[in-house]
Amino acid sequence: MTIVYVVNILGNGLIILVVITDPRLHNPIYFFLSNLATIDICLSTSSFPQSIVNCLVERPTMSYGRCYTQMLAAAYFETTECFLLAIMAYDRYVAISKPLRYTIIMNWKLCVQLSVVSLIIAILLLIVPCVSNPSRLCRHNRVDHCACELTALMKLVCSDMTVGQMTMYFTSSFTVLFPFSFILFSYLRIIVAILRIHSAGGRLKAFSTCGSHLAVVVVYYGISIALYIKPQSKDSQDTDKIMYVINAGVVPSLNPLIYTLRNQEVKGALK
């Protein structure tokens, strides 16, 4: 876990540094990529340092306030990343289907506005419902998880959580499925636009510009759908722990590698 966290910080930090310092990368897609790297760092930092400390202590403890804050922070950054990946899919659609108007449509003002909107939507979808519907923990207050994760904490609530569970399920479904559906629709439009390109070289180049983003989308949304939308059961607890570590740590660590290996501009900037 420590190695994964260090790789995440170094890899995503390097991406942010390269995008800021290299003028060749001062365009919308790399602006969103640096935002994605920042969110990945924040997502892992919200839970991994505490989890690493807990592994070194015989009986790890945490106050309710810290645990609740950790849960909200992780949920917030996960939600923001879902919508940011959808925004990046729209950016790829505009770049491929309308290349001559790309810089006009995806201007800096729109890029900043889209990034801010993704942050606001995340607050409205997750933090506001959690704060407006406080719950009291009882039972043994022992979290059967490697972090203060939402589904693990809800199992400790002693009050009637029927409405709360339904709210969480529909919120999670909207948070994951709506951006994912938008991404699928964007890529269908991208495929149609690519098929209209006459040269094989042009098609290959167009596909290569989407390969990195598509790989990240498949991995991230695949795990998110399996983790938050599937019905919860006792048999799935150990699997959920593994998938949470992969989603909050391994996937953010792989993102810089995926974008670097398939992107000549990033490779050149790193060199």
Side-chain angles (χ1 to χ4, degrees):
M1 186 175 289
T2 303
I3 296 175
V4 170
Y5 180 66
V6 172
V7 170
N8 178 13
I9 297 298
L10 293 178
N12 286 293
L14 184 60
I15 291 293
I16 296 171
L17 179 63
V18 168
V19 171
I20 292 175
T21 57
D22 196 319
R24 293 174 297 177
L25 303 183
H26 290 176
N27 54 57
I29 183 58
Y30 296 111
F31 169 77
F32 293 127
L33 178 58
S34 62
N35 286 352
L36 179 64
T38 304
I39 292 173
D40 283 338
I41 291 176
C42 294
L43 175 58
S44 294
T45 303
S46 66
S47 59
F48 267 52
Q50 184 64 51
S51 299
I52 294 171
V53 172
N54 291 343
C55 293
L56 304 176
V57 181
E58 185 177 352
R59 289 177 61 90
T61 59
M62 181 185 295
S63 66
Y64 173 76
R66 287 178 60 190
C67 189
Y68 195 72
T69 301
Q70 184 184 99
M71 179 199 72
L72 289 178
Y76 174 72
F77 292 121
E78 287 176 346
T79 305
T80 304
E81 183 155 346
C82 285
F83 285 93
L84 183 59
L85 289 173
I87 293 172
M88 294 174 73
Y90 174 73
D91 173 81
R92 292 298 83 202
Y93 161 70
V94 175
I96 292 175
S97 62
K98 303 175 182 179
L100 298 179
R101 299 180 58 198
Y102 174 67
T103 55
I104 299 176
I105 297 175
M106 299 301 297
N107 55 73
W108 285 111
K109 181 179 179 181
L110 178 62
C111 292
V112 173
Q113 288 175 342
L114 290 174
S115 297
V116 172
V117 166
S118 67
L119 298 175
I120 295 175
I121 290 177
I123 294 176
L124 296 178
L125 284 177
L126 286 177
I127 293 184
V128 172
C130 288
V131 173
S132 61
N133 294 283
S135 56
R136 184 172 58 89
L137 299 183
C138 54
R139 304 180 186 175
H140 49 69
N141 286 350
R142 183 176 299 168
V143 180
D144 186 17
H145 207 282
C146 57
C148 291
E149 197 265 339
L150 180 60
T151 56
L153 281 180
M154 288 193 67
K155 295 175 183 178
L156 302 181
V157 177
C158 52
S159 55
D160 186 11
M161 287 298 295
T162 304
V163 176
Q165 288 178 342
M166 291 181 60
T167 302
M168 187 190 74
Y169 178 79
F170 285 112
T171 302
S172 300
S173 299
F174 178 81
T175 301
V176 176
L177 295 181
F178 177 74
F180 186 64
S181 301
F182 181 82
I183 291 172
L184 289 180
F185 176 75
S186 297
Y187 271 99
L188 286 176
R189 298 290 299 272
I190 288 173
I191 291 173
V192 172
I194 291 176
L195 293 178
R196 292 175 180 172
I197 301 175
H198 299 291
S199 65
R203 292 180 182 177
L204 183 61
K205 183 178 179 181
F207 272 118
S208 65
T209 61
C210 304
S212 300
H213 176 260
L214 187 59
V216 172
V217 166
V218 170
V219 174
Y220 184 81
Y221 276 97
I223 295 175
S224 297
I225 291 173
L227 187 60
Y228 293 109
I229 297 182
K230 70 176 180 61
Q232 297 293 318
S233 63
K234 293 182 178 180
D235 297 334
S236 66
Q237 289 182 0
D238 292 336
T239 304
D240 289 348
K241 296 174 188 177
I242 297 173
M243 295 182 69
Y244 178 82
V245 172
I246 294 174
N247 197 43
V250 177
V251 174
S253 301
L254 292 177
N255 286 351
L257 185 63
I258 294 173
Y259 277 101
T260 302
L261 289 178
R262 297 187 58 89
N263 195 305
Q264 296 299 324
E265 290 180 325
V266 176
K267 284 183 180 180
L270 287 173
K271 290 179 181 180

